[in-house]
Amino acid sequence: MERYLTASPSPTLCSDEANFTKSLDRGSVKSAITLNNAENGIERIEFTQDKGSTSKDHEDPMTWSFGRRVYHTTVPSLASLCVTFGTSVYTPAAVEVAEKFNVSQTVSVLGLSLYVLGLAFGPMIAAPLSETRGRLAVYRVSIPVAAAFTLGAGFSKNMTSLAVCRFFAGFFGSPCLAVGAGTIADVWPPVYRAPATSIYLLTPFLGPALGPLVGGFAAESQGWKWTQWPLVIALVISWLYSLPMKETYMKIILQRRSKVLDTKQSTHTGPTGLAALQMLLTVVLTRPLYMLFAEPIVGLFSLYVGFNFAVLFAFFDAFPIVFEGVYHFGLGFTGLSFLGIGIGCILATLSVLIIDRTFFRREYEKSLKQGKAGAVAPEHRLYAAMFGSLGIPIGLFWFAWTARSDVNFISPMLAAIPFGWGNLMVFNAGIMYLIDGYGPLNGASAAAANGLVRYVFGAVFPLFTAQIYHKLGIAWATSLFGFISLAMLPIPWIFFVYGPSIRRRSHYNINKGYTVLVMTCTSTGPSYSMRAIGDIVESCKSRPEDFENSTPSTFGIHPIGESSWYEVVRRSELGAIRKSS
């Protein structure tokens, strides 16, 4: 069963605290939940068993030890690093591949573009697998299959075979990228989630920066095939490292617990069968496409992040033109030039952590003091994007007008640092803004839309980058990217000012911002998670027998006194939800 409880640790919102304390008696378990036992509205909700002892649900990832949660953060981080490393490790071999298979330079770049395109569409298999088999199954299955197709790419005898294997290597590697954020959300409560998320989001940018370095020296000394073997080794190491991992998705944990205990109580909280499949397709495909065009926040931020990502992948063609053509570097030393982007990404992660401590945490503490249960407007996630938007054009124009023979090569190398810094700052803030602004379910669709645009742009741009640079020259080709980035620079600033009003008019405004702490009771105790009231209503439409009302207008929401708290009537049980904005 599910109970809707207050998401605040403060019991002062009602004169009679008994109204917020409920006893649940199901089989052998009697659970007493009070507001005082909820820390930050998420974890450390304790329950009392028949013998009177008090304990936690130790299978809940939120209650794991710090070291165990750190390990479960490093698994998706390492997997993401290896998979994205595979994008650019191939690029130093493109010229040799063109000669070996007697194809044009543009066709040889398909080895990069199709791999990136596979990253765009892979989440379509990740979401159903994650929902039905759990996060762990994604890591167990996808990484070995990606490694197998990478092995096939290395043994390819023609361009067609190489292109097909590279596409499927990216396709089966990308599920790790799709569920990584979900894994981190499973183990870290929101107040501690930003540092873990920032470190995780570093890896998809650090991987492409390291690829040309390793691939450059490998291709220069051993030939193009050796650009694939390091990727195979990295994927195998990543898979072996993930073997001690446990399942983190609470829904799957509850289902397995129910089977072990042979209970008849259902742990499923959503639709089943064809309805479940329809919901998954909606979340990962139809809704993201709709949101791209119907939601200004999703569409513009996806366009902005997608363009920045496209420029990053365009540099895989542009850097060899500059450092091999102008400065006469070899393949290996050209790969070293990408370290500037990597340094920028590391600095961006540190910057995001500082900004989180300086700005977002300040707003969080202020919200607690004001009795708002730590609710912070999503727009406070945009500080990093606003700062980062300044770094991107600075880096591009710096690179454009110093990449010439009469200027030392170190200058265009250093220009990559502010670009890499700004790129990751915008991406990091944008993803957190979408998740916070649209809630768990719709936020996942918004992030999926962003990922689709990001990787499609990243796949397409390298196909015509060389032509642009040869036609316009290094300075004006890079300046073209710089002018476009200047045109997009105001996007996070505009949303910081007008975001609240735009979200209020959104079709996906998670029912005016109401969120609720959902507790699921099982024979061994409760588990809990934050869910948007809109998501609950969406679930109850497929299970109307579990709810007295099944539409937002009749869901039984009404104010308690003069506070910002509201009651939810579900049969005869009462709980409380908070208004998050």
Side-chain angles (χ1 to χ4, degrees), residues 315 319 323 337 340-341 344 391-403 408-422 478:
F315 276 169
F319 273 38
F323 293 102
S337 64
I341 295 176
I392 296 171
I394 290 174
L396 290 174
F397 285 115
W398 180 357
F399 182 88
W401 298 100
T402 61
N408 192 281
F409 67 85
I410 197 65
S411 183
M413 278 189 177
L414 293 176
I417 295 177
F419 170 78
W421 174 79
T478 311

Side-chain angles (χ1 to χ4, degrees), residues 2-14:
E2 289 184 348
R3 281 284 319 286
Y4 303 109
L5 305 170
T6 175
S8 167
S10 172
T12 62
L13 297 170
C14 182

Side-chain angles (χ1 to χ4, degrees), residues 151-220:
L151 200 65
F155 285 115
S156 294
K157 302 298 183 182
N158 54 65
M159 189 64 216
T160 301
S161 174
L162 175 60
V164 170
C165 286
R166 286 283 292 174
F167 171 79
F168 283 109
F171 182 84
F172 286 104
S174 66
C176 300
L177 302 176
V179 303
T183 300
I184 291 173
D186 291 338
V187 300
W188 296 102
V191 66
Y192 304 118
R193 195 172 294 159
T197 302
S198 299
I199 294 172
Y200 165 71
L201 292 180
L202 167 66
T203 56
F205 288 80
L206 199 57
L210 295 175
L213 173 62
V214 177
F217 283 108
E220 191 174 43

